Every structure is written in structure tokens, then in C-alpha cells.
């Protein structure tokens, strides 16, 4: 599950908190195509394992232990694993398609944690974050009675010299970085602003 204050980029270009999404909301997937929220549930967990994933140069991603994280290998295969199964040294897929190694994984038990369980259709990786930086890709809850995705669950919207380049090589940067300093987030889809926004980012 996503934490309630996680931000996701809507298909219209506004940043929405996970807790404000509803069935029918359209979110921009990591490949640049929209994906639809087909089911959403809100939970207050009296006790919940929260996992914080950290890579170099990127704000940490906080999710529940069961939340699916997109992982990969330098050979090009990618799949998903629950955040709770990751450890220091695991390779995760970032915005733009490059791999980065987890340098720290912190697990803790949270009390009265508000989380959001989302199913997307199509079931594609999305970016969730608290700041406009490159981010670890994750996915919503699997669609019931659907076969697990293949190892080729996603391709970046642009390929330059191969998808699985290490951080030391040039990679395609996602729109989030191009919009750094012009990002506005809104609390619901009922008041989507024009771009760039007029509010202070992340106020």
C-alpha cells in the first residue's frame, strides 16, 4: 500500500496525494502513458510494518512491507518484490529505466498508519514521491485472478543506448526532473491548476 501522503502524478499534470484519489482517477505511469484507478481502499492500520528504501542521491521511498517494488538485473530482466523482502544491495528500477542499488533499508513498526490500497489498469509501474527527484518505481496491488506480469513489465518512454545502464552512464531523465522548481501539488482532482502552478510547491 501507499502511505496516504504519497504524491502521484496525474495524467493532467497535477500532483495528487494518494489519499485524495478515487475510482476513475487517471495517473501517469512511468512509461508516460495514463493508467486508471479501478479500485481503491483506505485503511487505518493499528500496527503496520513500514519499509524505507534509500538509494544514493534520491529521497527515501516509504511504503508498507507488502507494497510491490520494481527490481531488475543488469542483464535487463525486471520483476517485482514486496518491499519487505528487499535488503541492502538489492537493485531497484528508477525513473527513466536505470538501475540503482539500495544502500539502506530501514524497517519499522508504525502505529495507526493510514495507507491507500490501489489497483491500476493497466497494471504499470508509477512514481510516488515527496519531492521532485528521480524515484524508485513501484506498483499497485495485483489485479485479482490475473497472471503475474512477465519479466518485461515495463520499458522507459525513451531508450538511449540501452535501458539498463548504471548510474555512472548517461540516462534519460524523466519529466519530473525537467519540471524541478515548477512543481505544484493539489489535494484533489477537483481543482487541477494550469501548468506551471501558482502555489508554493509541496506547501
Amino acid at each position: 500500500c501507499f502511505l496516504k501522503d504519497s504524491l502521484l502524478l496525474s495524467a493532467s499534470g497535477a500532483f495528487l496525494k494518494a489519499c485524495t484519489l478515487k475510482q476513475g482517477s487517471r495517473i501517469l505511469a512511468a512509461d508516460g502513458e495514463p493508467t486508471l484507478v479501478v479500485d481503491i481502499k483506505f485503511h487505518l492500520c493499528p500496527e503496520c510494518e513500514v519499509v524505507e528504501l534509500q538509494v544514493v542521491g534520491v529521497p527515501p521511498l516509504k511504503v508498507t512491507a507488502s507494497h510491490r517494488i520494481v527490481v531488475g538485473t543488469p542483464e535487463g530482466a525486471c520483476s517485482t518484490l514486496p518491499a519487505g523482502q528487499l535488503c541492502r544491495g538489492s537493485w531497484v528500477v528508477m525513473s527513466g529505466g536505470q538501475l540503482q542499488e539500495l544502500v539502506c533499508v530501514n524497517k519499522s513498526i508504525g502505529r495507526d498508519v493510514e495507507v491507500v490500497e490501489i489497483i491500476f489498469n493497466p497494471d504499470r509501474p508509477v512514481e510516488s514521491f515527496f519531492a521532485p527527484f528521480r524515484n524508485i518505481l513501484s506498483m499497485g496491488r495485483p489485479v485479482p485472478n490475473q497472471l503475474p506480469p512477465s519479466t518485461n513489465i515495463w520499458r522507459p518512454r525513451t531508450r538511449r543506448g540501452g535501458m539498463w545502464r548504471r548510474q555512472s552512464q548517461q540516462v534519460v531523465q524523466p519529466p519530473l526532473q525537467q519540471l524541478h522548481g515548477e512543481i505544484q501539488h493539489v489535494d484533489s482532482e477537483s481543482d487541477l491548476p494550469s501548468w506551471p502552478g501558482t502555489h508554493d510547491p509541496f506547501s
Side-chain angles (χ1 to χ4, degrees), residues 2-47:
F2 295 92
L3 300 187
K4 73 179 184 70
D5 289 329
S6 298
L7 295 176
L8 294 95
L9 180 62
S10 75
S12 60
F15 289 88
L16 304 175
K17 288 184 178 180
C19 62
T20 68
L21 299 179
K22 57 188 178 182
Q23 189 171 355
S25 295
R26 296 171 73 244
I27 296 300
L28 199 66
D31 59 5
E33 297 297 324
T35 184
L36 189 70
V37 175
V38 295
D39 190 48
I40 185 167
K41 295 182 175 67
F42 303 91
H43 305 284
L44 176 60
C45 303
E47 188 173 284

Side-chain angles (χ1 to χ4, degrees), residues 119-181:
I119 294 179
F120 296 108
N121 185 24
D123 186 25
R124 310 300 290 169
V126 298
E127 295 170 294
S128 62
F129 44 86
F130 292 90
F133 292 100
R134 193 170 65 242
N135 295 283
I136 299 169
L137 298 183
S138 64
M139 300 180 72
R141 186 168 67 84
V143 178
N145 302 320
Q146 178 174 296
L147 292 176
S150 68
T151 56
N152 295 316
I153 59 173
W154 171 74
R155 295 187 179 188
R157 59 177 71 92
T158 305
R159 295 175 70 98
R160 290 182 185 172
M163 176 176 176
W164 304 107
R165 298 301 179 117
R166 299 291 180 93
Q167 186 182 10
S168 59
Q169 296 176 303
Q170 182 178 3
V171 296
V172 179
Q173 300 300 338
L176 296 180
Q177 288 178 301
Q178 299 169 8
L179 297 173
H180 182 46

Side-chain angles (χ1 to χ4, degrees), residues 47-185:
E47 188 173 284
C48 177
E49 184 178 9
V50 176
V51 181
E52 181 181 82
L53 306 175
Q54 179 71 63
V55 298
V56 174
V58 178
L61 173 67
K62 289 184 178 181
V63 292
T64 61
S66 62
H67 191 85
R68 293 187 298 162
I69 301 297
V70 183
V71 298
T73 67
E75 290 73 32
C78 66
S79 59
T80 65
L81 282 176
Q85 293 185 18
L86 301 180
C87 60
R88 188 174 184 269
S90 298
W91 289 93
V92 294
V93 182
M94 306 296 294
S95 310
Q98 73 277 16
L99 291 177
Q100 281 193 243
E101 187 176 9
L102 289 174
V103 296
C104 186
V105 176
N106 291 320
K107 301 177 182 180
S108 61
I109 301 298
R111 311 291 178 183
D112 296 327
V113 179
E114 296 179 77
V115 301
V116 185
E117 181 183 352
I118 304 172
I119 294 179
F120 296 108
N121 185 24
D123 186 25
R124 310 300 290 169
V126 298
E127 295 170 294
S128 62
F129 44 86
F130 292 90
F133 292 100
R134 193 170 65 242
N135 295 283
I136 299 169
L137 298 183
S138 64
M139 300 180 72
R141 186 168 67 84
V143 178
N145 302 320
Q146 178 174 296
L147 292 176
S150 68
T151 56
N152 295 316
I153 59 173
W154 171 74
R155 295 187 179 188
R157 59 177 71 92
T158 305
R159 295 175 70 98
R160 290 182 185 172
M163 176 176 176
W164 304 107
R165 298 301 179 117
R166 299 291 180 93
Q167 186 182 10
S168 59
Q169 296 176 303
Q170 182 178 3
V171 296
V172 179
Q173 300 300 338
L176 296 180
Q177 288 178 301
Q178 299 169 8
L179 297 173
H180 182 46
E182 298 182 352
I183 288 183
Q184 174 185 3
H185 95 262

